[in-house]
Amino acid sequence: MVSRARDWFRQSLRDLELAERIMDAGYYEWACFVAQQAAEKAVKALYQHLGMEVWGHSVSRMLEELPEEHKPPRELIDKARELDRHYGPTRYPNFHVEGAPADYYSREDAERAVKYARMVIDFARSKGLQA
């Protein structure tokens, strides 16, 4: 299998940049979703970098299932759990009792999601990934 780790990692960095831009434009729900995507792609890049394959969208699960010598601290996995919660509800009204996703997200939510995504990306970078 040809490694696409660099491609996945480069896209994670672009997604993080987009999350910051749309957060600044006030699209907080989308900033949270794109931050989750940035973290997901960084972790998938790490798996490829390690010569492994992984499927799914749960950033926390993927981090937990890394080989022991590559696992992050528990605090990062906990932050990834928060990112996981932004996968569906940020996009679909039926995840909420009423209203649109935009009604449920604040700048603080987006700032935290971007920060946590950056932490996941920095972790992947610490394992030797480069853009």
Side-chain angles (χ1 to χ4, degrees):
M1 173 172 88
V2 174
S3 176
R4 302 285 309 272
R6 185 172 183 272
D7 298 333
W8 280 91
F9 194 62
R10 285 180 51 232
Q11 191 61 48
S12 76
L13 296 173
R14 284 184 60 85
D15 288 1
L16 183 64
E17 181 182 342
L18 177 61
E20 291 170 338
R21 289 181 182 208
I22 58 181
M23 175 180 64
D24 289 340
Y27 295 92
Y28 306 130
E29 75 282 17
W30 280 105
C32 290
F33 172 68
V34 176
Q36 183 279 335
Q37 290 288 285
E40 179 183 328
K41 290 170 188 170
V43 175
K44 288 181 175 180
L46 178 56
Y47 269 83
Q48 288 230 347
H49 180 70
L50 297 173
M52 301 171 67
E53 197 169 325
V54 68
W55 294 94
H57 303 287
S58 173
V59 179
S60 64
R61 179 192 55 79
M62 289 186 284
L63 288 172
E64 284 181 313
E65 292 179 358
L66 281 166
E68 201 60 43
E69 66 273 16
H70 298 290
K71 278 190 183 176
R74 171 58 48 193
E75 303 82 53
L76 185 60
I77 293 171
D78 290 341
K79 288 172 175 40
R81 277 196 183 89
E82 183 169 334
L83 290 171
D84 290 343
R85 290 193 294 268
H86 298 313
Y87 184 73
T90 52
R91 298 176 290 148
Y92 301 108
N94 60 326
F95 274 87
H96 305 282
V97 175
E98 62 181 47
D103 301 333
Y104 291 88
Y105 289 86
S106 67
R107 181 168 185 90
E108 291 77 22
D109 295 323
E111 287 172 346
R112 198 169 46 254
V114 167
K115 176 183 176 182
Y116 293 171
R118 185 175 293 110
M119 292 171 76
V120 170
I121 288 169
D122 288 345
F123 171 76
R125 186 179 282 124
S126 78
K127 298 296 180 179
L129 278 168
Q130 297 178 13

